[in-house]
Amino acid sequence: MTDMNKHVMDEAIGETRLDRNTQGLIGKGAPRYEGKLKVTGTAPYAYERLAEQDVAYGFIVPAKIARGTITSIDTSRAEAVPGVLKIITGDRITRAASQPGAPAAQTIDGQVFHYNQPVALVIADSFETARNAAGLVAVTYDETAGRFDIAARDTVREPGSSPMEPNNKRGDFEHAFAQAEVTFDETYTTPSYHAAAMEPHASTASWDGATLEVWTSCQLLESGIGQIAAGVGLDEDKVRVHSPYIGGGFGSKLGTSPDAVLAALGTMAIGKPVKVAMTRQNVFQATSRRGETVQRVRFGATKEGKITCFAHETDTTNSPGNGFFEPSGISSVFLYAGKDRMITHSLVETDVLMTSAVRAPGEATGMLATESALDEFAERFGIDPVEFRRMNEPEVNPMDDTPFSSRRLIECIDEGARRFGWSDRPTKPGSRREGEWLIGYGMSSASRLNQLQQSSAEIEMAPDGRATIRTAMTDIGTGTYTILQQICAEMLGLPLDRVDVVLGDTDLPASSGSGGSWGANSAGSSVYVASLALIRELADRIDADAETLTLKDGHAIFGNRQIPFSEILKGETISVTGTIEPGETADKTHQASYGAHFCEVGVNVVTGETRIRRLLTVGAAGRILNEKTATSQCYGGQIWGIGYALEEDLVIDKRNGLIVNHDLAEYHVPVHADVPALEVVLLEDRDPHASPLAGKGIGELAIAGVGASITNAIYNACGVRVRDYPATLDKVLAGLPDDYLTAA
């Protein structure tokens, strides 16, 4: 039977079955459900689908100018190559990825909007043939001048309202700043960044004349189906999208990328399946990136160090027609006290690849600035950075006085300081030395807004008591399969190996998708709601009270009876669907996850090189569903934070908008030698306002602020403040006093 059950999060939850944890599965570091498939290479990703069929291959033709009009495309030489089946041109070619949630990707419409945007697709009987023929397509342009430098501020406009309101003000900051006893005013810059997921963007598409099926690497299938349908001119009910395995996304796959639409156009044009895999250079040049920022941070305070006013003003970039902006002030709205506040964003329009969400949009860049500024400001007062943050901890959201749903920032800071040995911090820069290495400690806070999204899941229980979860949710490597399996098994009293999980298919119940750190909480809550519905069904069949019914090891236990599920079901299969929706708790409380990072570095006085010696993260993110996968997510955030602090820099040629370092040979990310033994501590926590699971997002929390803890440690080691990220050795060397080198 089928039953639709919905839970709207209008009130805080009380004690639930998850608190009983009868099976002991919640919080436990269970092994990944799909782990064996991945490590044995048998988990089929998008490009590997339909391998047994006769398929064709597409290769993108990129534009060789940054801005202008396409005047002609000569495909004759390419079409003469044996094995070439079709060359697709025209206005339906997409210029980059879709913005998350947008109705469709932006099309080229005969224009070039950025260097190396797609202008055509060559389809051939082999990848090599398509690649060779793509180089023979001759495109002519009417080139126009472009804008490539954020500092030039050629075109400045108001951003859209997503993912936050761009301008947030309370009181009169300028007046309060002018009256403040002590002031701080510094500017920080961050470069453009790329998500650089391990799996390149790739798709396989098949059209049978009635239904278009697309296997693609996409984080949000519910909007992805509409974006693909719009891209090829079909109704959504004629499109089915699959994405059961994703090799990382980090925001770059929230919207469908050009390969999905191009593969779909290709299969509809030639009548057999088409595969399109973007090369690493294509990925860097034609999907999306994080926008560069210029951030001005100002504080006013009393002589004792109490912050009275705060401003965080950000310039960031995007291409024409895109309202998305890097929301660097997203945590500045609520993280620290200050009665008069101003958090604003301006969008500088450039003719470079569009910018969009990358892991922890806003926090990852904004906290590089604000957490460095807090460290600098604390030093002016001679106050320890830990104590300075404690002094300026707000009791409610300082922007609108909304109560916090749960906030354990100070506990994270205190626990981190204790574990790290913060009391042994060098008293001043240059005071601790080991040969050529100067040693320093740094710390920062971390925060990430929590969101609950509408999500649905079906649970089917077979006559033998085996359960199967089905939902269009995706797993981008974060452990979604395993977490949903754990929730279902715990709720229904089943061993883990008696629960199957099917994900990543738009024919399944619509889900939240993976992104914004909402995935586990949202999809997991839908499984929780479905589980409750199934428990009620079982209880009705045996005339038991669902609230007091105990389920354990495949049995229902009540009174003095213990009945196996197979006996209750009597040969029938039952199926229920549960849905979670955000409600009034999202408005009544301010919800976020919190943490703190502590870092020890060594700075070489001869080379200026920085080495991370220790890195500790303490986090509080509500109920931890799987300690192993949560800790793994934090490791990833820490490592990425190292990259943002010391290495990552997507270089844009200011003469023509070319992304210069468009592959992993030149776009530097941390490798094993850059990463020390990492430590992660997750505090026991519950947030009854966040969801029925009492959990909050953690995947993006761990990157927020990490880079600032590193640059703060660099200052503590050698006295050099780097405000233009990344803190490469040339910047450190330029600020090192000569006597450090002499002493070496």
Side-chain angles (χ1 to χ4, degrees):
M1 62 178 294
T2 300
D3 185 17
M4 174 59 78
N5 296 270
K6 181 185 294 184
H7 181 93
V8 181
M9 199 65 195
D10 284 332
E11 300 291 340
I13 60 164
E15 182 178 301
T16 70
R17 285 181 174 269
L18 294 182
D19 294 302
R20 304 175 200 171
N21 208 12
T22 306
Q23 299 271 106
L25 296 175
I26 298 300
K28 181 180 178 182
R32 287 183 182 265
Y33 173 83
E34 81 292 12
K36 184 177 180 180
L37 293 176
K38 288 182 174 177
V39 299
T40 58
T42 52
Y45 288 80
Y47 196 68
E48 299 166 318
R49 297 290 180 166
L50 307 186
E52 71 286 352
Q53 296 189 26
D54 178 22
V55 301
Y57 300 84
F59 198 89
I60 292 171
V61 178
K64 295 306 178 185
I65 65 167
R67 197 69 173 98
T69 301
I70 299 170
T71 56
S72 69
I73 300 180
D74 182 357
T75 61
S76 57
R77 290 183 63 208
E79 289 172 326
V81 174
V84 170
L85 305 174
K86 184 75 175 180
I87 298 178
I88 295 177
T89 61
D91 291 347
R92 282 198 181 275
I93 302 292
T94 56
R95 74 192 211 201
S98 306
Q99 287 289 358
Q106 294 173 312
T107 51
I108 65 173
D109 301 323
Q111 300 288 311
V112 174
F113 294 90
H114 63 267
Y115 208 107
N116 276 342
Q117 79 163 37
V119 294
L121 181 76
V122 175
I123 303 172
D125 58 10
S126 73
F127 174 84
E128 293 78 11
T129 299
R131 180 178 58 187
N132 174 57
L136 301 177
V137 175
V139 185
T140 58
Y141 312 92
D142 181 7
E143 188 171 1
T144 57
R147 303 153 298 173
F148 314 118
D149 188 356
I150 185 174
R153 292 176 59 88
D154 294 304
T155 305
V156 182
R157 55 191 176 89
E158 182 84 4
S161 59
S162 179
M164 65 178 289
E165 289 297 327
N167 297 312
N168 302 265
K169 299 180 181 180
R170 186 175 190 180
D172 187 342
F173 169 78
E174 296 293 357
H175 176 76
F177 188 71
Q179 298 298 314
E181 294 175 327
V182 184
T183 61
F184 176 91
D185 186 350
E186 292 290 353
T187 297
Y188 302 80
T189 67
T190 61
S192 183
Y193 301 113
H194 204 279
M198 183 181 294
E199 178 200 18
H201 298 62
S203 298
T204 299
S206 176
W207 167 250
D208 64 5
T211 300
L212 173 69
E213 286 197 77
V214 182
W215 292 262
T216 189
S217 195
C218 180
Q219 296 174 236
L220 305 181
L221 294 191
E222 298 314 315
S223 57
I225 193 171
Q227 291 164 353
I228 294 172
V232 298
L234 289 176
D235 293 335
E236 289 187 25
D237 61 4
K238 294 184 178 180
V239 181
R240 183 179 181 183
V241 180
H242 307 261
S243 195
Y245 301 105
I246 301 172
F250 313 113
S252 72
K253 297 173 183 176
L254 289 170
T256 55
S257 49
D259 55 280
V261 173
L262 293 176
L265 289 171
T267 188
M268 294 176 70
I270 68 171
K272 69 177 181 178
V274 171
K275 294 176 179 286
V276 177
M278 299 182 77
T279 65
R280 186 63 67 179
Q281 292 78 14
N282 287 153
V283 169
F284 270 74
Q285 300 275 13
T287 55
S288 62
R289 61 187 178 99
R290 195 195 293 274
E292 55 268 58
T293 71
V294 178
Q295 303 176 53
R296 185 185 184 190
V297 180
R298 290 185 282 172
F299 293 109
T302 65
K303 294 191 299 291
E304 294 75 27
K306 293 285 289 184
I307 296 173
T308 58
C309 58
F310 173 40
H312 185 187
E313 302 159 274
T314 299
D315 283 352
T316 186
T317 62
N318 212 333
S319 59
N322 283 286
F324 176 89
F325 63 99
E326 177 68 17
S328 295
I330 200 164
S331 279
S332 300
V333 173
F334 64 89
L335 196 54
Y336 296 113
K339 180 181 177 182
D340 296 278
R341 312 172 68 77
M342 182 172 69
I343 293 89
T344 65
H345 301 80
S346 296
L347 196 58
V348 179
E349 197 168 86
T350 58
D351 299 305
V352 185
L353 172 66
M354 78 173 214
T355 68
S356 189
V358 180
R359 189 178 188 177
E363 293 97 343
T365 53
M367 297 186 79
L368 290 174
T370 56
E371 291 301 303
S372 296
L374 257 291
D375 198 75
E376 292 196 54
F377 203 30
E379 185 195 29
R380 291 203 185 169
F381 296 98
I383 300 174
D384 183 276
V386 164
E387 179 58 29
F388 193 65
R389 285 165 172 80
R390 186 182 291 108
M391 288 172 55
N392 289 290
E393 170 76 353
E395 294 182 359
V396 295
N397 181 357
M399 187 60 73
D400 60 11
D401 298 328
T402 304
F404 295 116
S405 62
S406 71
R407 179 173 167 123
R408 302 195 63 191
L409 174 60
I410 299 303
E411 291 94 326
C412 290
I413 291 174
D414 288 345
E415 180 66 13
R418 183 187 68 81
R419 287 176 175 266
F420 194 77
W422 184 255
S423 59
D424 295 331
R425 179 175 181 252
T427 55
K428 62 179 182 178
S431 63
R432 185 172 300 175
R433 186 166 188 156
E434 296 177 8
E436 294 181 354
W437 296 91
L438 298 172
I439 311 304
Y441 290 7
M443 63 84 55
S444 69
S445 300
S447 66
R448 170 64 185 173
L449 281 177
N450 182 69
Q451 300 178 69
L452 182 68
Q453 301 283 342
Q454 181 169 329
S455 196
S456 299
E458 176 195 25
I459 301 177
E460 180 184 272
M461 183 170 280
D464 64 355
R466 188 176 192 88
T468 301
I469 303 164
R470 295 186 179 92
T471 172
M473 180 62 180
T474 53
D475 188 330
I476 53 177
T478 51
T480 305
Y481 279 100
T482 311
I483 290 167
L484 300 188
Q485 181 193 39
Q486 286 176 275
I487 294 169
C488 181
E490 179 58 46
M491 291 289 290
L492 300 183
L494 291 169
L496 278 176
D497 61 6
R498 298 284 290 167
V499 177
D500 296 316
V501 186
V502 181
L503 302 180
D505 183 344
T506 55
D507 273 7
L508 304 178
S511 185
S512 65
S514 299
S517 292
W518 64 60
N521 213 22
S522 302
S525 291
S526 68
V527 171
Y528 170 90
V529 174
S531 297
L532 287 179
L534 201 147
I535 291 168
R536 289 194 294 269
E537 172 69 18
L538 293 174
D540 287 346
R541 288 178 175 235
I542 56 176
D543 197 24
D545 178 20
E547 293 295 323
T548 59
L549 183 66
T550 296
L551 304 179
K552 186 172 176 61
D553 298 327
H555 291 74
I557 304 168
F558 69 106
N560 294 319
R561 302 177 64 191
Q562 180 170 309
I563 308 175
F565 291 164
S566 58
E567 185 175 324
I568 298 173
L569 295 171
K570 300 183 183 303
E572 292 186 47
T573 295
I574 58 175
S575 176
V576 298
T577 298
T579 297
I580 184 71
E581 287 186 3
E584 293 182 7
T585 60
D587 299 319
K588 293 176 180 177
T589 62
H590 187 275
Q591 300 178 15
S593 301
Y594 296 93
H597 308 290
F598 290 82
C599 180
E600 177 184 342
V601 304
V603 177
N604 191 289
V605 297
V606 177
T607 66
E609 173 191 358
T610 297
R611 289 188 184 174
I612 312 297
R613 294 160 63 104
R614 289 190 293 150
L615 183 56
L616 163 68
T617 293
V618 179
R623 187 195 305 275
I624 300 301
L625 300 171
N626 183 315
E627 185 178 21
K628 181 184 290 186
T629 56
T631 300
S632 179
Q633 284 293 290
C634 290
Y635 288 153
Q638 289 175 310
I639 294 167
W640 207 338
I642 293 171
Y644 276 13
L646 302 178
E647 301 176 43
E648 293 193 48
D649 182 354
L650 195 63
V651 178
I652 299 166
D653 191 327
K654 292 181 174 57
R655 300 169 301 176
N656 57 18
L658 171 68
I659 294 174
V660 178
N661 51 342
H662 50 209
D663 55 39
L664 293 176
E666 294 296 333
Y667 183 78
H668 295 160
V669 298
V671 296
H672 289 298
D674 300 318
V675 181
L678 304 173
E679 185 178 1
V680 172
V681 176
L682 302 175
L683 300 186
E684 184 73 16
D685 191 21
R686 299 287 186 273
D687 190 334
H689 304 276
S691 76
L693 307 179
K696 292 188 284 194
I698 197 170
E700 293 166 296
L701 174 69
I703 190 177
V706 173
S709 74
I710 295 170
T711 52
N712 291 341
I714 291 173
Y715 174 79
N716 183 245
C718 67
V720 178
R721 289 282 186 193
V722 178
R723 301 188 185 98
D724 299 318
Y725 286 91
T728 47
L729 57 85
D730 56 311
K731 298 172 186 175
V732 175
L733 273 176
L736 285 176
D738 292 338
D739 58 345
Y740 285 173
L741 184 58
T742 303

